[in-house]
């Protein structure tokens, strides 16, 4: 697959992250479950209409991250920050995600290492996916 790498700047983003999962075809269901856990009894605001997907170092499992404003009160949830900086990224269509049940397959197909994450975002009603390099401190 031929990819075009671009660089763009981002600001700080706080993410709530879910549990490690194996079946990549359930990425949107996992994101919905995470969002319901976040808002249950908390005053949390979602920062944007996008999801972040992180793979483990063996590319066997993934976890979903949701951008948020506020502090988590749920001790079963974890959050971390993506720090401002310049990201390497490449866009691909969200329909590509439907072809995979394992995170390793999409990383292999896109020639990505575990240093990259996948960002899924809504743009004018059309969901787009990007892969981008970590800026986690």
């Amino acid at each position: 697959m031929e990819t075009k790498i671009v660089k763009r700047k981002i600001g700080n983003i706080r993410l709530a992250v879910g549990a490690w999962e194996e079946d990549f075809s359930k990425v949107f269901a996992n994101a919905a479950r995470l969002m319901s856990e976040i808002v249950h009894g908390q005053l949390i605001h979602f920062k944007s209409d996008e999801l972040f997907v992180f793979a483990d170092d063996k590319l066997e499992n993934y976890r979903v991250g949701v951008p948020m404003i506020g502090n988590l009160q749920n001790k079963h949830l974890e959050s971390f920050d993506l720090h401002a900086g310049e990201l390497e990224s490449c866009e691909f269509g969200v329909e590509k995600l439907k072809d995979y049940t394992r995170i390793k397959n999409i990383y292999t197909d896109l020639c990505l290492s575990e240093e990259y994450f996948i960002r899924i975002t809504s743009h004018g009603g059309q969901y787009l996916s990007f892969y981008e390099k970590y800026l986690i401190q």
Side-chain angles (χ1 to χ4, degrees), residues 80-136:
F80 60 76
D81 296 328
L82 287 176
H83 294 280
E86 192 170 77
L87 289 174
E88 294 177 5
S89 65
C90 179
E91 178 180 331
F92 59 93
V94 74
E95 64 279 354
K96 186 156 198 59
L97 297 178
K98 296 176 187 173
D99 297 337
Y100 302 100
T101 58
R102 299 283 177 248
I103 190 78
K104 183 173 189 164
N105 295 342
I106 195 166
Y107 272 69
T108 301
D109 191 35
L110 295 171
C111 301
L112 299 178
S113 74
E114 73 278 358
E115 295 177 324
Y116 287 81
F117 62 86
I118 297 171
R119 182 171 59 96
I120 303 167
T121 184
S122 177
H123 181 71
Q126 294 184 347
Y127 279 89
L128 304 173
S129 295
F130 303 81
Y131 68 77
E132 301 180 308
K133 193 162 186 174
Y134 269 112
L135 283 177
I136 296 176

Side-chain angles (χ1 to χ4, degrees), residues 4-19:
K4 179 183 174 190
I5 303 290
V6 296
K7 293 199 177 207
R8 66 180 186 87
K9 294 188 182 282
I10 65 159
N12 291 336
I13 300 171
R14 170 163 285 171
L15 297 172
V17 291

Side-chain angles (χ1 to χ4, degrees), residues 44-110:
I44 295 291
H45 300 279
F46 297 114
K47 186 172 185 177
S48 57
D49 188 13
E50 58 188 355
L51 304 173
F52 291 72
V53 179
F54 301 90
D56 66 10
D57 58 349
K58 294 181 182 176
L59 299 175
E60 293 175 355
N61 298 291
Y62 72 94
R63 63 197 307 191
V64 175
V66 175
M68 55 171 255
I69 298 170
N71 293 313
L72 290 173
Q73 303 300 320
N74 185 332
K75 63 182 177 185
H76 300 291
L77 294 177
E78 182 182 346
S79 68
F80 60 76
D81 296 328
L82 287 176
H83 294 280
E86 192 170 77
L87 289 174
E88 294 177 5
S89 65
C90 179
E91 178 180 331
F92 59 93
V94 74
E95 64 279 354
K96 186 156 198 59
L97 297 178
K98 296 176 187 173
D99 297 337
Y100 302 100
T101 58
R102 299 283 177 248
I103 190 78
K104 183 173 189 164
N105 295 342
I106 195 166
Y107 272 69
T108 301
D109 191 35
L110 295 171

